[in-house]
């Protein structure tokens, strides 16, 4: 049973690696960013509420992402394992998740911290060119990452569940390292 949380700055490669690994392990890949973008595209109530936050690089309110994660983790395809990509992004969300996993008997999760330097992630994001990948919004997302998300490295580090991987390598090298670490 594999349950993984992917941490790391925007552009570190979380989404790409989570997708490859989830397919390899036949577990579900839950990307809160992807779910929000899909909801915005379809203009669902969630999408409409999230739009202004995502567009400006701010975190959407906890309740919105927490509800969607709770819903997603209760689906049958999550029973055999999952990778959470983009959640939790702050300490309050991590505390929520901890409680949810305890309540639903889904323990044993490991946390992968995929790290890469600012100049590398900025260059990658600018090259990707998503709607929220403009220079101004990227700068804000990195700031939010440093202030809100980076403290989770300590949070999970203290719980001895944290693995750190250098995201500043080729996609194949990162995948190989992840598979190696997870097999041990
Ligand atoms: P990236 O990792 O490149 O920043 P994501 O797809 O993970 O991209 O997230 C895109 C945006 O979606 C974030 O900037 C934020 O507005 C919103 N978002 C995603 N996950 C969360 C979360 N757990 N809490 C709050 N907002 C979130």
């Amino acid at each position: 049973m594999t349950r993984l949380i992917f941490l790391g700055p925007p552009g570190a490669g979380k989404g790409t690696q989570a997708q490859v690994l989830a397919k390899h392990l036949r577990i579900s890949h839950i990307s809160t960013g992807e779910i929000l973008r899909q909801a915005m595209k379809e203009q669902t109530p969630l999408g409409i509420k999230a739009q202004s936050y995502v567009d400006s690089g701010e975190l959407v309110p906890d309740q919105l992402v927490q509800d969607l994660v709770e819903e997603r983790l209760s689906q049958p395809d999550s029973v055999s394992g999952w990778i959470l990509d983009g959640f939790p992004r702050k300490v309050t969300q991590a505390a929520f998740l901890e409680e949810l996993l305890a309540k639903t008997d889904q323990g044993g999760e490991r946390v992968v911290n995929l790290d890469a330097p600012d100049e590398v992630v900025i260059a990658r994001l600018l090259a990707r060119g998503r709607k929220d990948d403009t220079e101004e919004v990227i700068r804000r997302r990195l700031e939010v990452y440093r202030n809100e998300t980076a403290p989770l490295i300590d949070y999970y580090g203290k719980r001895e569940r944290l693995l750190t991987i250098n995201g500043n390598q080729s996609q194949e090298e990162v995948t190989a390292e992840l598979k190696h670490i997870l097999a041990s």
Side-chain angles (χ1 to χ4, degrees), residues 8-12 14-15 31-34 36-37 50 53-62 65-66 69 85-90 93 125 128 130 132-133 137 141 144:
K14 297 185 301 290
S31 160
T32 45
E34 271 306 318
L36 291 172
R37 276 187 292 280
Y53 298 96
V54 174
D55 286 350
S56 56
E58 303 296 332
L59 296 181
V60 310
D62 283 355
V65 279
Q66 287 172 184
V69 165
D85 159 18
F87 186 93
R89 248 178 163 91
K90 53 194 282 212
Q93 295 178 6
L125 294 174
R128 184 173 71 179
R130 215 167 61 195
D132 59 342
D133 286 338
V137 178
R141 277 156 61 208
V144 169

Side-chain angles (χ1 to χ4, degrees), residues 95-107:
F96 166 84
L97 181 64
E98 199 162 299
E99 213 170 293
L100 176 67
L101 296 181
K103 197 169 72 183
T104 54
D105 276 326
Q106 301 189 60

